[in-house]
Each structure stands twice: as C-alpha cells, then as structure tokens.
C-alpha cells in the first residue's frame, strides 16, 4: 500500500511512530511503540484519548475557537445545529460572493441555500450571533465576535418558542463521560499507560497525523470511527 512510502519517510525524518493494530504487525516492529487493540473498538480508543486531552487541558484553545465547529450552538430538542434564520426574523444569508467559500472553494448558491449560516454565543455581547462559513480565525475577532466555547443558553425562535441550545463542545463533554481511561481499557484491551502516552504525544508533538486504512474505512460505522480519530487532531490544530 502507498502508506509504506510515507511510513519510511517518517522514519528517515525522525518521527515518533505508533502502530495501533490487533496483531503485532510488520510496521509495529519498526514503530516507537505498538498499541494492541481489540478489533472494532477504534472509536472508543479515540474518544477516550479525546476526553483525556480535554480533561487535562491538552488542546489549543485558540485553534479550537477559530477553526473548528466546537463553538457552534446545537439545539438540544433536535440535536441539530442552530441556523441563523431560526432565531433572527427576516434573516438572509450574509456570505460574501467575494470570500473564499465562493472564490476559492467553488461553493454554489444552491449549496449555500442548503447549508445556511450557523450561530455562536458571543461572550462579549452575551447574546447569539450569526456567523458564516468564512468567519474563521482572525475574521471572528475582526467582527468583534468572542465565541463561547462551552455553555448552555436559551434562545427564542422566530415563531416565539424558547429553545435550549448548547455548544458542540459542551455536548461532547456529556458524550465523553462514558469514555474514562479504565472504561476505554475494558472496551479496547489496550494498556492504559499506552493510551495515556499516545494522548500526550499527540498533544505535545507537532505536526501529527493519523493514517487509517482498509480495516476501518470499509465497514459499518466507518464514519463514526474516522470522525472519532479527527477529534484529537482538531484539538491540537493538526
């Protein structure tokens, strides 16, 4: 597989290599350490690592606020992201045709109509504010928006209903309660000291990358397993 090419280049450049496989595989023999794992439990491993990194503050807060969807508000009644048109009467899309979404990424009007604009809670104004998909990084600060990373709030919809919303970050903290270190060990059979070592390595070594292949991507729940693996990289800006 082409992954071998990158694996060898990483070795040559002095990278720290970790192999996570049920069997002691050929790459495992060349890695700095090998984490044995019970088949089909990859998602639990990554969720446990994510919880550990959040609990211990091993994340880049500014990156999380500026470049991930963790600050976006989610309705607790539907578990769907809150859209701007749901709470701001007469709201129309504010995404500029001159911004990167249209100019660089090739977004179409039809796609934008489907996606819409989302909402964050502005800590400075103490109220919800709409943001577009171009409002990332320094653009949030330029607009004077200080998005809350965590919290539960009540907003009023255009039809007069009061709806509870939470940041995605806060929802993840609820979800991750089930993935403490000992529980993850029981699910995955991976040694606790190696789970902790991997979490710390991802938090302190940059850049970092996770290569996942055939075993995970071609089976049921592949989306959930792959998304779980994205979380530690989102936390660290990798």
């Amino acid at each position: 597989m082409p992954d071998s090419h990158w694996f060898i280049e990483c070795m040559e450049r002095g990278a720290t290599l970790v192999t996570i496989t049920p069997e002691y595989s050929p790459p495992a023999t060349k890695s700095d350490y090998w984490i044995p794992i019970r088949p089909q439990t990859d998602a639990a491993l990554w969720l446990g690592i994510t919880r550990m990194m959040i609990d211990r503050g091993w994340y880049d807060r500014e990156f999380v606020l500026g470049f991930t969807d963790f600050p976006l508000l989610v309705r607790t009644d539907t578990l769907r992201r809150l859209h701007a048109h749901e709470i701001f009467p007469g709201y129309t899309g504010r995404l500029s045709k001159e911004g990167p979404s249209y100019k660089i990424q090739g977004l179409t009007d039809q796609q934008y109509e489907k996606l819409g604009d989302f909402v964050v809670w502005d800590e400075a104004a103490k109220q919800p504010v709409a943001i577009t998909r171009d409002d990332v990084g320094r653009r949030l600060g330029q607009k004077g928006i200080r998005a809350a990373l965590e919290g539960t709030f009540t907003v009023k919809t255009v039809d007069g209903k009061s709806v509870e919303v939470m940041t995605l970050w806060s929802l993840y903290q609820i979800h991750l309660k089930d993935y403490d270190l000992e529980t993850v060990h029981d699910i995955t059979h991976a040694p606790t000291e190696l789970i902790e070592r991997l979490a710390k390595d991802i938090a302190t070594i940059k850049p970092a990358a996770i290569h996942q292949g055939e075993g995970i991507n071609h089976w049921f729940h592949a989306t959930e397993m792959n998304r779980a693996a994205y979380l530690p990289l989102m936390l660290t800006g990798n």
Side-chain angles (χ1 to χ4, degrees):
M1 298 298 292
D3 285 345
S4 300
H5 173 64
W6 314 121
F7 190 91
I8 292 169
E9 285 198 358
C10 286
M11 290 176 63
E12 292 172 342
R13 296 174 185 182
T16 297
L17 296 168
V18 184
T19 295
I20 306 169
T21 48
E23 79 286 2
Y24 188 58
S25 62
T29 68
K30 304 295 188 294
S31 296
D32 291 82
Y33 55 101
W34 163 61
I35 300 180
I37 187 171
R38 191 163 64 90
Q40 304 179 35
T41 63
D42 303 79
L45 175 69
W46 294 118
L47 292 174
I49 286 172
T50 300
R51 172 177 168 171
M52 182 180 297
M53 293 173 68
I54 290 175
D55 287 349
R56 300 186 182 186
W58 294 348
Y59 58 89
D60 183 341
R61 184 180 178 87
E62 290 306 309
F63 182 88
V64 168
L65 283 168
F67 293 99
T68 76
D69 60 355
F70 284 128
L72 295 185
L73 296 179
V74 179
R75 295 177 57 146
T76 60
D77 58 344
T78 63
L79 294 183
R80 292 183 176 275
R81 291 183 179 90
L82 180 68
H83 281 86
H85 69 265
E86 294 179 86
I87 62 170
F88 300 117
Y91 184 88
T92 56
R94 299 174 184 175
L95 187 65
S96 171
K97 290 288 184 74
E98 301 303 313
S101 290
Y102 276 98
K103 286 289 189 179
I104 299 175
Q105 299 164 4
L107 187 76
T108 66
D109 288 338
Q110 292 79 11
Q111 290 171 328
Y112 181 40
E113 184 178 355
K114 182 178 179 180
L115 291 171
D117 291 337
F118 296 118
V119 183
V120 297
W121 187 268
D122 190 336
E123 289 186 323
K126 300 189 184 305
Q127 63 184 13
V129 293
I131 62 169
T132 72
R133 67 195 310 275
D134 283 349
D135 293 331
V136 297
R138 67 179 182 277
R139 291 191 177 94
L140 282 173
Q142 290 170 350
K143 288 191 171 185
I145 298 173
R146 198 170 77 207
L149 184 56
E150 55 188 312
T152 303
F153 313 96
T154 301
V155 299
K156 185 165 287 188
T157 61
V158 293
D159 56 4
K161 295 180 181 177
S162 292
V163 176
E164 183 185 72
V165 294
M166 300 177 69
T167 66
L168 185 60
W169 178 270
S170 293
L171 284 169
Y172 262 113
Q173 288 182 315
I174 295 172
H175 179 51
L176 294 173
K177 286 181 179 179
D178 292 334
Y179 295 93
D180 59 274
L181 183 58
E182 288 304 321
T183 299
V184 171
H185 167 68
D186 289 341
I187 295 171
T188 65
H189 297 177
T192 56
E193 65 273 15
L194 293 182
I195 297 173
E196 187 172 8
R197 181 178 177 183
L198 179 58
K200 189 170 185 179
D201 280 347
I202 294 174
T204 56
I205 299 174
K206 196 169 186 177
I210 298 170
H211 291 248
Q212 298 199 114
E214 306 259 341
I216 293 173
N217 296 346
H218 290 191
W219 300 93
F220 288 115
H221 306 301
T223 299
E224 285 83 355
M225 288 203 179
N226 279 282
R227 286 185 175 179
Y230 299 158
L231 294 173
L233 302 183
M234 291 168 65
L235 291 178
T236 54
N238 280 293

